[in-house]
Amino acid sequence: MEKSNKNIVHIIEKMTLDQKIGAMLTLGFSGTVATKRVFEMIEKYHCGGFRLTPHGRSASANYVDPRTGRTVVAIKNDNGIKKGVPSPQCTAGEYKKLLQSFQQAARKRPLGIPLHFSTDQEGGESANCGFSEVQLFPRSMGVRASGDSGMAYEVSKAVGLQCRAVGFHCLHSPNVDVNVDARNPEICTRSYSDSAEEVAEYAEQACRGFKDAGIIATAKHFPGRGDSPVDAHFEIPVVNADRETLWNRELLPYRRLIEKKLLPCIMIAHTIYPALDPDCIATVSRKIITGLLREKMGFQGVVTTDSMTMGGIATRYGVARACAMALEAGADLVLMKSQGNLVEETIEAIRQSIEEGRITREELDDKIYRILSLKYEYGMFHARTDDFEEPERILRDPGIFALSEEAAVKSVLIARDREKILPLSREEKILIVEQADISRFVNLAYYPGMLYQNCCRYSRNLDYLETAYTYDEEDLRRIEDKIQGYDTIIITSYFTRGRRSNIEKVKELAALAGKNIIIVTNTPYELTIPEEAGTVIVTFATTIRNIEVAAGTIFGEIEPEGEMPVKNHA
């Protein structure tokens, strides 16, 4: 490959094998407390960067199948942290100073190669940069519900500016999966649409927005994860579409974005595509990464894996060996979030691949060149003025606040109102049965009773019943005992990856005779919407702005402007 950046070539010439191996690793840092292990990964193992989860507690938790309760992958992290104890909360400014301490340690390394800080900020429940000062936006499908691809640009730029202000460099977005399977529990509303053309249109604007914000965009999950009812976090999905369908549907957004030079990075799917490679998961398939993506489609940017501790990949190959196999297949970066002994095991597996010639020295240097060139292009090699500014200057931007309100109004929609019961009268006696996601951080962006509290703006004739996100036996008893005294019941039917849906109980409640039932949900699919439900409001996010709009919609004070973004919906 051509190497036009002589500064990067000069650095590579000086790098040891240990430094090159480290440069290909995106390791994990969760929470807000830096242990000795974190600095060891920087200084001893020369890691290239971190995948950050500020509000988590463990760098990689066990993967437990929500359908069966079975632990698919057990991750050992002997880091002294008590399981179940929440991470200390901090401000965006305090977290930025923590990242600066990591970067300072990296710049003191022999060659001063900077770290990259990446995370997920897809919208809705995916908000790792979720500090109370940050404005949150709908899921990608909610952005598509606006009917305006310009909204994708504005939202992505606002998201990027906020994340960049806190200290992040790279977002694992946009999601360019075409969600053609309405049963898909993993992609779902993370996709813009079930139309490849619409996904390409909105993803293009998203990439432009991220670029203008100074954020590295990472399109995922190549070649495409939308045509499957299986979650790769717990098992191996298989997409059985033929080669022509894949080329014209799943690969269409990638082809457009590569052609327009809008993709600095692509993430590979932990999925099998028999039409492309019947033997290997895409993450470790040379036919798919090198043959299809590099050679046929001409992609010259950085290729990263998805998390290598996910059940689909880890159970088949083992984490460390899979990391090495991904690099052998053509990936540049491996995302390995565990802080435990898997770090050393992964490094040794990669070293063995290099020493045995499965990764040639030329291939190795090409990978390092792509990684370091991208860091150079996005200004990481030299500290920028805004690296040391307080993030509040951006986070308090009234324009971003106004955009979050506009995006909410334009994403929420009334999916159906068969009996024309909306808007509700303020005189009605109403019960709100609302899920409380206590596993998530609790601040002004997410808190128990958001819908109830916002409905109280319009009526005081309301009662509240809080449940777990997935109903337990006590919740079921409490619901049965409570609902009898009300004519109108508002039920949240939210779903997120890794949780069991409450759809069976919601279906039973929606069929109750003599009661007005309103379902407030975050998906447009049968996954959360029973056929029996006569009135359904889709929010595409359980963030505060979208819940404010849902409450206003219920009482006729806000007119939602969202349009249905998929053809195959409930």
Side-chain angles (χ1 to χ4, degrees), residues 125-308:
E125 299 73 36
S126 173
N128 286 322
C129 184
F131 304 96
S132 59
E133 308 98 315
V134 173
Q135 298 303 314
L136 303 180
F137 291 88
R139 287 280 198 183
S140 296
M141 196 169 284
V143 174
R144 162 60 190 90
S146 71
D148 175 13
S149 60
M151 180 63 72
Y153 171 84
E154 296 295 342
V155 166
S156 297
K157 183 177 179 181
V159 168
L161 287 172
Q162 292 184 107
C163 290
R164 188 70 185 84
V166 177
F168 298 93
H169 305 111
C170 174
L171 291 180
H172 292 154
S173 293
N175 186 304
V176 300
D177 297 317
V178 184
N179 199 62
V180 293
D181 192 330
R183 301 166 298 168
N184 196 316
E186 180 184 1
I187 304 306
C188 197
T189 55
R190 299 166 69 197
S191 166
Y192 285 107
S193 175
D194 52 11
S195 161
E197 289 286 349
E198 290 178 358
V199 170
E201 177 187 354
Y202 280 74
E204 175 182 340
Q205 293 302 318
C207 286
R208 295 187 188 280
F210 288 133
K211 185 173 184 178
D212 287 351
I215 283 284
I216 297 170
T218 305
K220 62 186 183 185
H221 306 81
F222 184 89
R225 279 282 299 108
D227 189 10
S228 168
V230 169
D231 188 336
H233 290 78
F234 312 110
E235 55 187 297
I236 303 169
V238 178
V239 172
N240 282 307
D242 60 40
R243 184 179 289 266
E244 182 179 2
T245 299
L246 290 169
W247 183 256
N248 292 319
R249 187 180 66 189
E250 275 75 10
L251 293 172
L252 176 67
Y254 291 100
R255 293 194 286 119
R256 296 267 177 88
L257 295 170
I258 291 170
E259 179 183 327
K260 295 181 180 182
K261 302 187 185 304
L262 288 171
L263 278 186
C265 190
I266 288 176
M267 177 180 283
I268 305 298
H270 295 327
T271 301
I272 294 176
Y273 303 83
L276 302 176
D277 185 342
D279 302 314
C280 296
I281 294 174
T283 310
V284 298
S285 169
R286 192 167 183 86
K287 291 179 182 178
I288 291 175
I289 299 176
T290 298
L292 175 61
L293 181 57
R294 292 279 189 217
E295 295 172 357
K296 183 172 182 178
M297 297 176 67
F299 181 64
Q300 298 177 8
V302 170
V303 173
T304 181
T305 71
D306 204 340
S307 174
M308 298 301 282

Side-chain angles (χ1 to χ4, degrees), residues 8 15 28 30 61 74 131 147 154 170 177 187 218 274 295 376 378 386 402 405 466 478 488 512 523 532:
I8 299 302
M15 292 176 74
S30 294
F131 304 96
E154 296 295 342
C170 174
D177 297 317
I187 304 306
T218 305
E295 295 172 357
Y376 191 92
Y378 279 79
D386 59 0
E405 293 186 314
E466 183 175 296
R478 291 166 65 233
T488 300
L512 287 174
T523 93
E532 293 82 353

Side-chain angles (χ1 to χ4, degrees), residues 282-505:
T283 310
V284 298
S285 169
R286 192 167 183 86
K287 291 179 182 178
I288 291 175
I289 299 176
T290 298
L292 175 61
L293 181 57
R294 292 279 189 217
E295 295 172 357
K296 183 172 182 178
M297 297 176 67
F299 181 64
Q300 298 177 8
V302 170
V303 173
T304 181
T305 71
D306 204 340
S307 174
M308 298 301 282
T309 56
M310 286 167 58
I313 189 89
T315 54
R316 173 167 286 208
Y317 304 110
V319 175
R321 180 66 191 125
C323 288
M325 291 172 68
L327 295 173
E328 293 170 17
D332 304 308
L333 282 171
V334 289
L335 174 56
M336 209 293 292
K337 294 189 288 185
S338 173
Q339 289 183 8
N341 62 322
L342 281 173
V343 174
E344 286 84 359
E345 291 177 17
T346 296
I347 289 170
E348 287 310 305
I350 295 170
R351 185 190 309 279
Q352 186 174 357
S353 286
I354 295 168
E355 291 176 346
E356 295 178 0
R358 292 192 296 274
I359 301 171
T360 68
R361 296 293 172 143
E362 181 182 0
E363 288 173 332
L364 177 62
D365 286 355
D366 287 349
K367 295 176 192 296
I368 306 303
Y369 182 83
R370 283 190 287 264
I371 294 166
L372 299 189
S373 293
L374 186 58
K375 293 185 178 187
Y376 191 92
E377 179 184 350
Y378 279 79
M380 291 183 221
F381 271 87
H382 303 285
R384 305 182 346 174
T385 302
D386 59 0
D387 287 339
F388 302 97
E389 290 181 347
E390 292 294 326
E392 284 75 18
R393 182 181 67 85
I394 296 296
L395 303 185
R396 292 174 180 163
D397 183 343
I400 293 178
F401 183 87
L403 180 64
S404 71
E405 293 186 314
E406 180 185 1
V409 172
K410 290 186 175 180
S411 60
V412 175
L413 58 87
I414 300 173
R416 66 176 77 131
D417 186 17
R418 291 172 181 157
E419 305 301 322
K420 306 298 181 186
I421 67 173
L422 294 177
L424 296 185
S425 165
R426 297 168 191 258
E427 307 306 315
E428 292 183 56
K429 190 176 182 184
I430 301 166
L431 174 67
I432 297 180
V433 181
E434 184 170 355
Q435 297 154 281
D437 192 356
I438 58 176
S439 70
R440 293 196 61 82
F441 51 95
V442 178
N443 57 27
L444 293 180
Y446 284 95
Y447 58 88
M450 280 195 298
L451 180 61
Y452 171 74
Q453 186 175 64
N454 280 281
C455 285
C456 284
R457 296 182 180 185
Y458 309 108
S459 173
R460 294 295 181 182
N461 203 20
L462 303 169
D463 284 328
Y464 176 55
L465 179 61
E466 183 175 296
T467 72
Y469 203 84
T470 297
Y471 297 155
D472 57 26
E473 290 300 321
E474 181 185 4
D475 290 328
L476 295 175
R477 288 194 299 270
R478 291 166 65 233
I479 291 170
E480 292 293 339
D481 292 342
K482 189 80 171 177
I483 60 175
Q484 301 307 322
Y486 302 87
D487 294 325
T488 300
I489 304 170
I490 301 171
I491 306 164
T492 65
S493 182
Y494 302 141
F495 173 78
T496 193
R497 187 187 73 215
R499 308 289 187 85
R500 281 188 296 109
S501 170
N502 295 318
I503 187 62
E504 291 306 318
K505 184 61 179 179

